[in-house]
Amino acid sequence: MEHRLTDFLPTTKKECELRGWDTLDIILFSADAYVDHPSFGAAVIGRILEDLGLKVAIVPQPNWQDDLRDFKKLGKPRLFFGISPGCMDSMVNKYTANKRLRSEDAYTPDGRHDKRPEYPTIVYSKALKKLFPDVPVLLGGIEASLRRLTHYDYWQDSLRKCILCDSSADCIVYGMGEKPLTQIALSLINEKQCSIKRFREVVAECPQTVLLHKEEDIPHGITDDDIMLFSHEECLKDKRKQAQNFRHIEEESNKLHAQRIIQKVDNRYAVVNPPFPPLSTKELDHSFDLPYTRLPHPKYKGKRIPAYEMIKHSVNIHRGCFGGCAFCTISAHQGKFIMNRSKESILREVRQIIQLPDFKGYLSDLGGPSANMYGMHGKNLELCNKCRRPSCIHPGICPNLNGDHSSLLDIYRSVDNLPGIKKSFIGSGVRYDLLLHDYKDERLNKAAKEYTKELIVNHVSGRLKVAPEHTSDNVLYLMRKPSFSQFGEFKEIFDHLNKQLNLKQQLIPYFISSHPGCKEEDMAELAVLTKQMDFHLEQVQDFTPTPMTVSTEAWYTGFHPYTMQEIYSAKTQKEKLAQRMFFFWYKPEEKQHIINELQKIGRPDLIKRLYDNPIKSFTINHREKDHGIRNNRAMQYRKKR
């Protein structure tokens, strides 16, 4: 299908004129290239606002280094400016855990690094406030969302204030923005020219927003129902208080009925309104069914946008993740409650992909934040209403969780039956603990077993990526991940099916070094165990502290936010490299370093296990564990039928 320029949100004055617009209601500034696709946040928000009848334009990757002409070119909007710093945190997108420049910027044409500033939320907001001081500026996206309160910034190695303080913006919409942006826009839609005062009045009454107030101006005053955090200044003086704050922040992010959070900073108060309820299936369908072209804007013709190339033939079937991994920001941004698209909406999007001229019949991913959480929820919603657990599956799978894989199986098979689909792959991370759990309902056990076989036999593109993250149960517990023995159990099932059906597929595990609580001895044992399983690891990384995660708070403060126990973290370059090298025990250049380190830490016994005593086979001891292991499903798959 040939698309016209007017099928995209306008990005220039000329494109506005093609639509017959001489003024705009809302102008969005994005630090990503403009890809009109439901996986790109700025496009989603633009389409949501457009659907309300508003005149919306988007300025992607404006030049912040000249006379700011890109910030001026569309003039002053009637209602407000919106800033979307990108689908990834700008600093994670730009730098590795060792603070080295990444090979490319995945959301920029041709992967260039010079199109996005560090902290675009702050840079763009200051530019707009300088040019248009009387126009409201609204912050959204993951960068602002995860910096809505006092947070540790790894790249500056400092405790930073709520990002409203540094950016001079007027408010934050945190999390997924469809509901709050809709409420704000509809409340202002009849304004001839929205003032900052009127804008703040509307935002102050809207859930899922953050504003800075003087104490006397806090809506409804400070009440007993509010959670008062330690102030920013107190946290600067006492890391324990920062750790204690975080537990409240995380718990309120994952409750269905959260409380308002207030934190004093610079003689003002950051007031975080509780989030909206999760989107219903109808609401989520609406967001995905808007008239996206699914293409990069024509201005990028002939240029490669790496992130788009990765996802253009994929479909996101749900939002949210109840895994609660300690190092992950998904639940902080999307929440732990699963928001499902309908089967009909998913199939509509797949049919759109089939019509793309470069589609060859292979879907790269049919998944979500976690591949196999679609359709899952609490059996008794009254219990969910009272729950404050950040994870539904750690330290064990909640008995109230309906872990039924049946609806997901139905979607896989319905998609694969569409004319034009040769194969759909699952590229999202699979939670094997959900597959191996012994549910009390035998119907759920049967569905999990059936899903496991369906996944391995029909949806692996040669390599199935899973994320055990570590081998030490102590470290895994801190990560909120299941025991490593469950990975061994899943590997046995994977290997058995591959051998039985003559499939030449690989299992690719992801691992992290230098996570809080991890010591060199843990990494040495990781090397031994993965060697025994015949892995030469390639998908590995150092832990990167990112705002608003349990792991980051533990790394920075030295205390676990939930137990307040002291916790060790490798912080110096020397300490990190001492852990990381164990991933690469098989490289000749690392051998002597590893031998020296093992002798230094008093574990010479591991030297023989790594270098002098090769082991050809490996069997994990499937003893019952504290982390949810109840039976050995692998045995079921090995039985002859």
Side-chain angles (χ1 to χ4, degrees):
M1 176 182 173
E2 192 72 27
H3 288 282
R4 300 166 299 171
L5 196 55
T6 50
D7 291 332
F8 295 82
L9 296 171
T11 66
T12 64
K13 197 85 171 172
K14 181 181 177 181
E15 290 170 43
C16 291
E17 290 168 356
L18 286 174
R19 290 184 170 222
W21 297 352
D22 55 4
T23 59
L24 290 162
D25 297 320
I26 297 168
I27 302 173
L28 304 176
F29 285 82
S30 172
D32 288 344
Y34 170 34
V35 180
D36 192 41
H37 187 284
S39 291
F40 290 77
V44 174
I45 294 305
R47 291 298 188 182
I48 287 286
L49 295 170
E50 178 190 54
D51 190 61
L52 299 176
L54 294 164
K55 297 175 183 176
V56 184
I58 182 169
V59 181
Q61 300 191 313
N63 189 339
W64 74 100
Q65 296 173 305
D66 59 7
D67 60 0
L68 304 182
R69 66 188 68 179
D70 283 349
F71 293 89
K72 296 182 281 189
K73 66 181 183 181
L74 296 180
K76 181 188 292 189
R78 182 171 65 92
L79 300 183
F80 59 85
F81 290 113
I83 294 177
S84 171
C87 293
M88 280 181 68
D89 184 277
S90 67
M91 303 305 283
V92 176
N93 186 49
K94 189 166 186 174
Y95 297 107
T96 67
N98 288 324
K99 302 184 181 179
R100 292 176 181 166
L101 195 66
R102 293 192 185 276
S103 58
E104 62 181 10
D105 182 329
Y107 293 88
T108 296
D110 294 332
R112 290 174 57 175
H113 283 291
D114 59 347
K115 294 293 185 180
R116 180 201 312 269
E118 295 181 358
Y119 307 102
T121 299
I122 295 171
V123 175
Y124 293 176
S125 181
K126 284 186 172 180
L128 290 170
K129 280 299 184 182
K130 177 181 177 181
L131 295 169
F132 306 101
D134 58 336
V135 179
V137 173
L138 179 149
L139 308 181
I142 197 162
E143 186 167 86
S145 182
L146 301 184
R147 290 170 169 80
R148 58 188 183 254
L149 291 160
T150 295
H151 58 279
Y152 173 69
D153 187 287
Y154 173 65
W155 297 274
Q156 295 183 358
D157 190 23
S158 65
L159 205 60
R160 307 294 299 174
K161 305 169 186 175
C162 166
I163 200 169
L164 288 175
C165 299
D166 292 326
S167 66
S168 303
D170 296 289
C171 83
I172 298 169
V173 164
Y174 67 90
M176 310 307 282
E178 288 102 331
K179 280 189 173 184
L181 262 297
T182 296
Q183 179 168 312
I184 291 168
L186 288 176
S187 299
L188 299 173
I189 202 164
N190 294 321
E191 300 288 320
K192 289 184 178 180
Q193 184 71 48
C194 183
S195 68
I196 291 176
K197 181 181 177 183
R198 174 62 181 148
F199 180 80
R200 287 177 58 84
E201 288 172 351
V202 166
V203 171
E205 298 301 325
C206 180
Q208 214 166 307
T209 59
V210 187
L211 281 169
L212 288 176
H213 293 281
K214 294 179 180 178
E215 184 172 5
E216 61 270 22
D217 296 331
I218 295 175
H220 317 295
I222 298 174
T223 71
D224 291 340
D225 291 330
D226 295 325
I227 294 177
M228 288 295 298
L229 301 180
F230 292 111
S231 71
H232 176 74
E233 290 72 20
E234 288 177 292
C235 293
L236 284 173
K237 295 175 184 175
D238 186 348
K239 290 183 177 181
R240 284 177 176 269
K241 291 181 176 178
Q242 172 65 14
Q244 288 173 307
N245 272 358
F246 182 77
R247 177 171 183 172
H248 293 298
I249 295 168
E250 184 180 49
E251 286 182 342
E252 296 310 307
S253 296
N254 288 299
K255 283 166 59 176
L256 275 174
H257 303 288
Q259 293 168 260
R260 189 169 67 166
I261 297 176
I262 301 176
Q263 183 182 36
K264 188 176 182 181
V265 54
D266 290 345
N267 295 315
R268 291 184 293 174
Y269 292 81
V271 178
V272 181
N273 286 335
F276 272 98
L279 292 172
S280 66
T281 293
K282 182 178 179 181
E283 290 168 331
L284 190 57
D285 282 356
H286 174 69
S287 182
F288 277 89
D289 291 346
L290 292 167
Y292 306 98
T293 63
R294 299 187 64 86
L295 298 169
H297 189 277
K299 69 168 70 181
Y300 308 121
K301 187 174 182 180
K303 296 182 179 180
R304 179 184 67 95
I305 301 174
Y308 171 70
E309 295 300 319
M310 184 183 296
I311 59 87
K312 64 180 178 179
H313 296 151
S314 68
V315 178
N316 193 335
I317 65 176
H318 74 268
R319 284 189 193 161
C321 178
F322 51 71
C325 295
F327 49 80
C328 182
T329 60
I330 290 173
S331 65
H333 192 66
Q334 294 190 15
K336 73 174 182 181
F337 295 97
I338 303 302
M339 294 164 272
N340 307 291
R341 294 175 66 184
S342 69
K343 176 180 170 181
E344 293 72 26
S345 175
I346 294 165
L347 293 177
R348 277 196 296 272
E349 186 174 358
V350 175
R351 292 188 184 101
Q352 285 182 310
I353 294 174
I354 291 170
Q355 299 305 313
L356 294 175
D358 63 344
F359 183 65
K360 307 298 183 185
Y362 299 95
L363 284 177
S364 60
D365 189 21
L366 194 59
S370 287
N372 57 320
M373 289 185 181
Y374 179 87
M376 296 185 184
H377 53 79
K379 291 177 280 191
N380 181 348
L381 293 181
E382 286 300 312
L383 294 178
C384 293
N385 284 334
K386 300 171 185 176
C387 180
R388 61 175 60 214
R389 280 177 57 172
S391 171
C392 301
I393 52 181
H394 179 87
I397 292 179
C398 176
N400 189 45
L401 178 67
N402 179 2
D404 190 357
H405 287 78
S406 300
S407 55
L408 190 52
L409 275 165
D410 178 50
I411 285 175
Y412 287 3
R413 290 164 180 169
S414 298
V415 166
D416 286 352
N417 285 332
L418 289 175
I421 294 293
K422 296 176 183 177
K423 209 169 184 73
S424 61
F425 300 119
I426 308 305
S428 310
V430 176
R431 291 298 304 229
Y432 48 77
D433 43 350
L434 286 170
L435 300 175
L436 300 173
H437 183 62
D438 187 16
Y439 298 97
K440 291 183 179 179
D441 185 341
E442 193 53 40
R443 183 179 58 87
L444 301 189
N445 291 328
K446 181 180 178 182
K449 181 180 176 182
E450 191 176 353
Y451 175 88
T452 304
K453 185 173 183 179
E454 173 76 20
L455 168 73
I456 295 170
V457 174
N458 296 320
H459 300 280
V460 177
S461 61
R463 311 172 98 200
L464 179 62
K465 297 176 181 178
V466 294
E469 308 294 9
H470 215 286
T471 59
S472 162
D473 278 1
N474 289 332
V475 177
L476 287 166
Y477 191 85
L478 292 169
M479 290 178 165
R480 295 182 183 153
K481 296 287 287 188
S483 169
F484 186 64
S485 59
Q486 290 202 32
F487 172 73
E489 196 173 337
F490 182 76
K491 183 180 183 299
E492 287 188 22
I493 296 169
F494 183 88
D495 291 345
H496 170 71
L497 286 172
N498 273 268
K499 184 177 180 181
Q500 183 186 60
L501 301 172
N502 197 28
L503 301 172
K504 300 186 185 302
Q505 299 178 155
Q506 287 181 291
L507 192 63
I508 307 297
Y510 281 66
F511 289 96
I512 294 176
S513 60
S514 300
H515 186 275
C518 178
K519 299 179 180 177
E520 289 164 46
E521 184 174 351
D522 298 312
M523 294 302 300
E525 291 179 346
L526 182 152
V528 169
L529 284 171
T530 54
K531 178 195 174 179
Q532 290 173 335
M533 299 178 88
D534 201 25
F535 284 119
H536 282 195
L537 301 180
E538 51 185 83
Q539 297 292 340
V540 298
Q541 67 180 59
D542 289 335
F543 169 67
T544 304
T546 54
M548 207 171 283
T549 70
V550 177
S551 300
T552 296
E553 298 301 326
W555 192 91
Y556 164 68
T557 66
F559 301 98
H560 194 283
Y562 282 75
T563 65
M564 294 310 297
Q565 292 179 345
E566 291 188 20
I567 187 167
Y568 164 79
S569 294
K571 292 190 174 183
T572 68
Q573 190 76 354
K574 183 179 179 181
E575 289 171 332
K576 288 184 175 185
L577 289 174
Q579 292 203 17
R580 182 178 174 83
M581 69 180 177
F582 284 102
F583 286 140
F584 308 109
W585 60 267
Y586 53 87
K587 293 186 177 182
E589 63 269 26
E590 297 290 359
K591 181 176 179 179
Q592 193 57 51
H593 295 301
I594 288 174
I595 289 173
N596 293 342
E597 199 64 32
L598 289 174
Q599 290 172 335
K600 178 182 170 184
I601 65 174
R603 291 301 306 269
D605 57 300
L606 296 179
I607 296 173
K608 288 187 176 182
R609 294 176 67 187
L610 268 181
Y611 295 113
D612 299 336
N613 186 26
I615 299 173
K616 295 181 179 179
S617 62
F618 178 76
T619 303
I620 279 188
N621 180 7
H622 295 290
R623 292 177 303 168
E624 190 167 290
K625 297 282 184 179
D626 291 335
H627 309 312
I629 306 228
R630 293 294 177 267
N631 67 346
N632 185 347
R633 288 290 173 83
M635 294 298 295
Q636 299 177 29
Y637 285 89
R638 289 200 297 270
K639 288 180 181 177
K640 292 183 179 180
R641 296 172 185 167

